[in-house]
Amino acid sequence: MTTRIVHGGGITAAARQYGGRPEEWLDLSTGINPNPMTLPEIPVAAWHRLPDQHLQERAREAARSYYRSGDILPLPVPGTQSVIQLLPKLVTGGRVAIFSPTYGEYARAFTLAGLQVRQVSTIAELTVDDRLVVAVNPNNPDGRVLPIEQLRELHARQRERGGILLVDEAFGDVEPVASVAPFAASMPNLIIFRSFGKFFGLAGLRLGFVIAEASIMTRFEDWLGPWAVSGPALSIAAFLMESDTSAIRNRILQRHSALEAVLQRSKLHVVGGTALFALVADDRAEGIYTHLCRHHILVRKFDYARNWLRFGLAPDEAADERLAGVLEDYST
């Protein structure tokens, strides 16, 4: 059986190992906005009734405008992880190619389904047998970005071979100009996954969106079954996506600049990342990770790259100073 993937966010387990209450820890192990949005007032009916069609329609219209997906109404799903599990159903022959290293659940889902998975680093490595190609863009954890023109060329190549291109834009909200969503209506063999919770700081809502041609989204909808997304989640998504999100973006960029300043001050080398996290390469990574844990700060380490650490954004200046002080203590 394929080993389960270790993700960020394991505060409870870290607290059990290193002490302290979970709420006392500073969690920098995820790529989630640390300043969650204030929730709007949710109509009582959203809690009381099964999700009505008008809630779906409003959320989908809001998502279409927010993601600039043109004629395509994005499909709300209970977190993109839920549809990653369904992807093997789309592969009827050939192999799966995944631009790597990246989010580990893709390879795990395909491997568990008995499919052959190849990890590639360049477009030149792809072959005619790669029926589904997965690109996380911008990538987690190194922040690699494939330009839109390359993605369009890759889609044309996949379409010619009867294959599919999946682009996961979970970290794409801060830089919408890098999104391929506006071109999706003219790219029938394209699937786009979008995460709602990372940018808005509401990961616990478990909400994402799929952008693809109608026949593909219908299959996902059928596989998920009725009422897959809760009424409150749809209500919150519609309200926030209809709002001006520039203040959210600016706050994230401010927090990212503050994080990079702390890492630079600590003489840690940033080798990649997105607006929501920074990737550090350091031969002392294991020791730094343990030292941070002993001071109740959690970051993300990687079993496949022992010299990497991923730092998420701290919520405020006090947390920046807390991180800086602990890192300085390790250096001395």
Side-chain angles (χ1 to χ4, degrees):
M1 182 175 180
T2 304
T3 304
R4 289 185 177 179
I5 307 298
V6 177
H7 300 289
I11 283 290
T12 301
R16 285 172 179 163
Q17 182 174 357
Y18 292 96
R21 298 192 308 273
E23 58 269 24
E24 296 171 340
W25 279 64
L26 175 60
D27 186 3
L28 306 180
S29 68
T30 67
I32 298 169
N33 180 356
N35 301 120
M37 299 305 95
T38 301
L39 297 181
E41 183 176 347
I42 301 171
V44 173
W47 298 102
H48 177 63
R49 298 171 56 86
L50 290 170
D52 285 322
Q53 187 63 31
H54 75 276
L55 288 179
Q56 277 260 356
E57 291 171 356
R58 182 188 170 196
R60 296 185 75 171
E61 285 288 355
R64 170 160 62 180
S65 175
Y66 180 76
Y67 294 129
R68 303 176 301 139
S69 60
D71 293 336
I72 297 180
L73 283 170
L75 174 69
V77 298
T80 49
Q81 183 61 49
S82 68
V83 279
I84 288 176
Q85 310 300 127
L86 299 175
L87 285 173
K89 293 175 177 285
L90 294 175
V91 185
T92 56
R95 300 179 303 203
V96 175
I98 303 173
F99 284 93
S100 301
T102 194
Y103 183 58
E105 292 292 344
Y106 281 105
R108 185 171 189 269
F110 292 121
T111 302
L112 286 174
L115 295 169
Q116 184 179 355
V117 178
R118 292 198 314 128
Q119 299 192 25
V120 300
S121 56
T122 66
I123 293 176
E125 296 173 61
L126 299 175
T127 74
V128 68
D129 293 323
D130 297 319
R131 309 301 291 171
L132 177 64
V133 175
V134 178
V136 179
N137 201 58
N139 190 46
N140 173 21
D142 62 4
R144 177 203 63 231
V145 175
L146 296 176
I148 289 175
E149 283 309 310
Q150 283 191 22
L151 291 171
R152 296 187 72 177
E153 291 172 9
L154 181 52
H155 167 265
R157 176 175 172 170
Q158 285 298 101
R159 184 181 183 187
E160 181 180 332
R161 298 170 176 180
I164 294 173
L165 171 63
L166 169 69
V167 180
D168 182 333
E169 296 182 344
F171 293 97
D173 293 60
V174 177
E175 298 295 340
V177 295
S179 172
V180 76
F183 307 96
S186 63
M187 302 169 69
N189 290 50
L190 172 71
I191 301 172
I192 301 171
F193 286 172
R194 297 294 300 240
S195 170
F196 179 82
K198 291 180 174 61
F199 177 76
F200 291 101
L202 298 171
L205 203 64
R206 306 311 305 133
L207 179 65
F209 288 88
V210 175
I211 301 171
E213 69 165 354
S215 64
I216 293 177
M217 290 200 293
T218 297
R219 295 174 74 181
F220 280 127
E221 199 167 10
D222 289 343
W223 291 332
L224 288 169
W227 314 301
V229 177
S230 73
L234 294 170
S235 296
I236 291 169
F239 178 87
L240 291 177
M241 287 180 155
E242 291 167 350
S243 303
D244 181 359
T245 59
S246 58
I248 305 172
R249 179 180 183 275
N250 291 338
R251 180 61 175 168
I252 288 173
L253 292 175
Q254 290 169 1
R255 293 281 76 232
H256 180 80
S257 295
L259 171 63
E260 291 215 324
V262 169
L263 297 176
Q264 183 178 19
R265 174 173 150 191
S266 303
K267 296 182 171 53
L268 293 177
H269 182 45
V270 176
V271 294
T274 71
L276 286 167
F277 59 82
L279 182 67
V280 163
D282 195 295
D283 290 339
R284 305 167 299 164
E286 189 69 36
I288 294 171
Y289 174 85
T290 302
H291 176 73
L292 289 170
C293 283
R294 287 172 178 160
H295 289 79
H296 300 166
I297 299 175
L298 185 64
V299 297
R300 173 78 159 89
K301 64 178 180 176
F302 299 87
D303 56 1
Y304 59 82
R306 298 290 186 179
N307 66 327
W308 280 3
L309 292 174
R310 191 187 68 191
F311 289 74
L313 307 185
D316 51 38
E317 290 74 13
D320 293 334
E321 288 305 311
R322 177 179 172 184
L323 173 63
V326 174
L327 288 173
E328 182 178 354
D329 180 58
Y330 181 80
S331 299
T332 57

